[in-house]
Tab-separated table of all heavy atoms in Angstrom:
chain	number	residue	atom	x	y	z
U	964	HIS	N	-172.734	-66.627	50.396
U	964	HIS	CA	-171.812	-67.649	50.908
U	964	HIS	C	-171.759	-67.552	52.418
U	964	HIS	O	-172.326	-66.633	53.005
U	964	HIS	CB	-170.429	-67.514	50.262
U	964	HIS	CG	-169.687	-66.257	50.605
U	964	HIS	ND1	-170.111	-65.009	50.216
U	964	HIS	CD2	-168.534	-66.043	51.305
U	964	HIS	CE1	-169.255	-64.097	50.647
U	964	HIS	NE2	-168.294	-64.697	51.327
U	968	ASP	N	-169.108	-62.583	57.767
U	968	ASP	CA	-169.591	-61.217	57.513
U	968	ASP	C	-170.827	-61.192	56.618
U	968	ASP	O	-171.413	-60.137	56.393
U	968	ASP	CB	-168.473	-60.343	56.906
U	968	ASP	CG	-167.794	-60.967	55.707
U	968	ASP	OD1	-167.482	-62.182	55.747
U	968	ASP	OD2	-167.560	-60.255	54.711
U	969	HIS	N	-171.244	-62.337	56.117
U	969	HIS	CA	-172.438	-62.409	55.264
U	969	HIS	C	-173.617	-63.089	55.950
U	969	HIS	O	-174.757	-62.901	55.529
U	969	HIS	CB	-172.096	-63.126	53.953
U	969	HIS	CG	-171.039	-62.401	53.179
U	969	HIS	ND1	-171.320	-61.654	52.054
U	969	HIS	CD2	-169.709	-62.271	53.404
U	969	HIS	CE1	-170.197	-61.099	51.619
U	969	HIS	NE2	-169.207	-61.462	52.420
U	1069	ASP	N	-168.614	-61.618	46.833
U	1069	ASP	CA	-167.160	-61.518	46.987
U	1069	ASP	C	-166.411	-61.991	45.740
U	1069	ASP	O	-165.275	-62.458	45.838
U	1069	ASP	CB	-166.690	-62.356	48.187
U	1069	ASP	CG	-166.894	-61.627	49.508
U	1069	ASP	OD1	-167.936	-60.952	49.650
U	1069	ASP	OD2	-166.032	-61.720	50.389
U	1116	HIS	N	-167.928	-55.837	49.014
U	1116	HIS	CA	-166.847	-55.080	49.648
U	1116	HIS	C	-166.376	-53.938	48.761
U	1116	HIS	O	-165.197	-53.603	48.739
U	1116	HIS	CB	-165.690	-56.030	50.002
U	1116	HIS	CG	-166.135	-57.154	50.889
U	1116	HIS	ND1	-166.582	-56.948	52.164
U	1116	HIS	CD2	-166.255	-58.488	50.667
U	1116	HIS	CE1	-166.941	-58.106	52.707
U	1116	HIS	NE2	-166.755	-59.059	51.808
I	1015	ZN	ZN1	-167.191	-61.066	52.351
Side-chain angles (χ1 to χ4, degrees):
H964 66 294
D968 51 316
H969 299 255
D1069 279 39
H1116 303 295

